[in-house]
Amino acid sequence: MLQPLPLLIATFLAFATPFASPAQQAPAKVRAKRGDGVTVLLQRHGLNPVRDYDRFVALNRAQLGPRNSLISGKYYRLPAKQPTRKKATAAKAPAAATARTSTKVKTQLSTKQLFGPRYGQVSARSRQLSGTVFYLLSGHGGPDPGAVGKYGSNQLAEDEYAYDITTRLARVLMEHGAKVHLIVQDPDDGIRDEAVLQMDRDEITTPNLTIPLNHVARLRQYTNAINRLHGRYKGAYQRMITLHIDSRSAGLNTDVFFYHHDKSPVGKRLANNIHQVFTARYKRSQPNRPYVGTVSARSSLYVVRNSHAPTVFIELGNIRNDKDQRRFVIPDNRQALANWICEGLIADYRGRK
């Protein structure tokens, strides 16, 4: 009568073991390489940088640098891979249902991840941009730092400063009620108030794509992301702004250049509205210095030519020029650039026909 008991115990243990072993298994440790961020490290080891980011930080909080940065040569623990859930019902769902639910797909990190702990809380200041949709694209990113300037013994990378100004612009637009999609995202950086922004390579393209090194492939990836999103907001006021920093000779300081498609009167009007704000603000803040920014057509630019949303491509200055560098290394100046662009966008939206 008692003989089957050991078999029952063994059977119970056989079923219990798969559920107990993950809790007992120590997380794998991996070494961070030079230039790694959390996103790159997670992607390299087959983890999801959006879903697994917070789990990674919780495991390694004591080992991380400022803003959850990685320290080259240090070992970090990886969170256990989560099992992939099969979605049998989704495969059988009719096409119409798929189209209805596709707009709910997460395309952006949380505001805390995008803007950092200091700026992660976004409070409404007005509803002036309610009903608008903006696609914001910071130049370069991932394996391509863009233009690089020398600042004392430090290097200034275009993609880091363009990204910081872009995230500041995203935040102020959201404060005025806009829907904002950041096309390039970095879960480590947030909005930074340092003068010298450290270079990394861990940016991704929304929703979770590794940025390619090839220039054309990268621009195609960015534009495809914008155009996929564009189809969700039919009838809405949609605009795309891409921010870059020039790299002309070190002796040449430049003001802000605005480019639009030659066959887009809407894009031209948008560029002029932002340019007019910059002209007025420069006159007020630097009355003894003439502002010589320009608006012109440049349809050959890939994102200007191929984005479905009316687009303005903005060159914010020369990262290799001493005077222009002050525009970027002082965080209040980066915020001012974001605020002025926002003012121009508000003016454009108010004056729409």
Side-chain angles (χ1 to χ4, degrees):
M1 295 288 295
L2 299 176
Q3 189 173 359
L5 187 58
L7 179 60
L8 290 173
I9 294 172
T11 304
F12 172 77
L13 290 173
F15 279 99
T17 301
F19 294 97
S21 58
Q24 297 168 358
Q25 185 179 4
K29 285 190 175 183
V30 295
R31 190 177 185 181
K33 299 179 181 179
R34 183 180 177 85
D36 276 355
V38 175
T39 298
V40 168
L41 195 71
L42 291 173
Q43 287 178 326
R44 184 184 301 135
H45 295 281
L47 293 163
N48 186 305
V50 175
R51 186 186 64 199
D52 298 321
Y53 181 89
D54 289 338
R55 297 169 61 221
F56 178 90
V57 170
L59 281 171
N60 298 282
R61 201 174 301 279
Q63 301 286 89
L64 297 171
R67 304 186 197 283
N68 296 332
S69 60
L70 302 183
I71 300 170
S72 177
K74 266 193 179 301
Y75 284 87
Y76 294 92
R77 294 184 292 169
L78 294 176
K81 289 185 179 180
Q82 295 181 333
T84 304
R85 297 178 181 176
K86 294 183 179 180
K87 298 182 180 179
T89 54
K92 297 177 183 178
T98 302
R100 284 196 301 271
T101 57
S102 64
T103 58
K104 297 180 181 178
V105 174
K106 184 176 180 181
T107 60
Q108 193 140 273
L109 302 172
S110 68
T111 55
K112 183 177 179 181
Q113 287 176 305
L114 286 174
F115 304 142
R118 182 176 179 184
Y119 296 98
Q121 184 68 36
V122 180
S123 301
R125 292 165 55 186
S126 80
R127 302 298 297 168
Q128 294 182 84
L129 291 172
S130 180
T132 63
V133 182
F134 292 100
Y135 309 103
L136 304 184
L137 173 61
S138 54
H140 304 275
D144 178 19
V148 177
K150 194 111 171 121
Y151 183 69
S153 60
N154 299 294
Q155 288 186 316
L156 308 181
E158 173 183 3
D159 69 325
E160 300 298 337
Y161 288 89
Y163 183 76
D164 190 72
I165 296 165
T166 302
T167 52
R168 290 171 185 270
L169 174 59
R171 189 173 185 274
V172 73
L173 288 171
M174 291 168 67
E175 288 177 334
H176 291 291
K179 175 73 176 175
V180 180
H181 289 284
L182 274 169
I183 304 306
V184 171
Q185 301 175 16
D186 189 326
D188 299 330
D189 287 348
I191 293 172
R192 294 175 280 179
D193 287 329
E194 296 87 357
V196 176
L197 302 182
Q198 295 302 312
M199 299 166 64
D200 62 28
R201 302 174 299 174
D202 62 350
E203 296 86 5
I204 58 173
T205 300
T206 182
N208 181 27
L209 301 174
T210 301
I211 297 175
L213 177 60
N214 179 270
H215 178 65
V216 176
R218 185 170 61 251
L219 295 177
R220 184 184 299 116
Q221 184 186 81
Y222 294 161
T223 308
N224 287 344
I226 294 163
N227 293 342
R228 280 195 299 270
L229 291 165
H230 184 268
R232 299 183 183 183
Y233 304 100
K234 291 180 180 178
Y237 173 100
Q238 302 186 60
R239 300 292 185 267
M240 202 280 271
I241 308 295
T242 178
L243 302 183
H244 289 253
I245 299 172
D246 212 340
S247 59
R248 305 186 185 201
S249 66
L252 179 66
N253 68 302
T254 62
D255 279 318
V256 183
F257 298 121
F258 302 90
Y259 300 115
H260 60 87
H261 198 285
D262 64 346
K263 294 182 180 178
S264 175
V266 177
K268 181 178 180 179
R269 187 192 71 194
L270 178 63
N272 277 317
N273 277 321
I274 304 172
H275 171 59
Q276 286 168 15
V277 171
F278 271 67
T279 304
R281 294 294 171 265
Y282 261 93
K283 189 177 292 186
R284 182 185 302 173
S285 61
Q286 300 186 48
N288 298 320
R289 179 189 179 279
Y291 168 71
V292 291
T294 60
V295 174
S296 58
R298 195 169 171 186
S299 306
S300 61
L301 294 167
Y302 189 97
V303 294
V304 172
R305 186 174 73 249
N306 293 290
S307 296
H308 292 171
T311 299
V312 174
F313 185 112
I314 307 177
E315 292 276 12
L316 292 168
N318 184 356
I319 202 163
R320 294 178 180 169
N321 177 266
D322 292 344
K323 292 181 180 178
D324 280 7
Q325 282 176 349
R326 296 173 200 161
R327 193 177 300 166
F328 307 120
V329 297
I330 299 172
D332 284 349
N333 288 349
R334 299 199 293 269
Q335 186 62 52
L337 291 169
N339 293 345
W340 295 355
I341 296 170
C342 180
E343 284 186 55
L345 296 174
I346 291 173
D348 188 77
Y349 183 54
R350 283 176 175 170
R352 73 195 185 283
K353 294 181 180 179

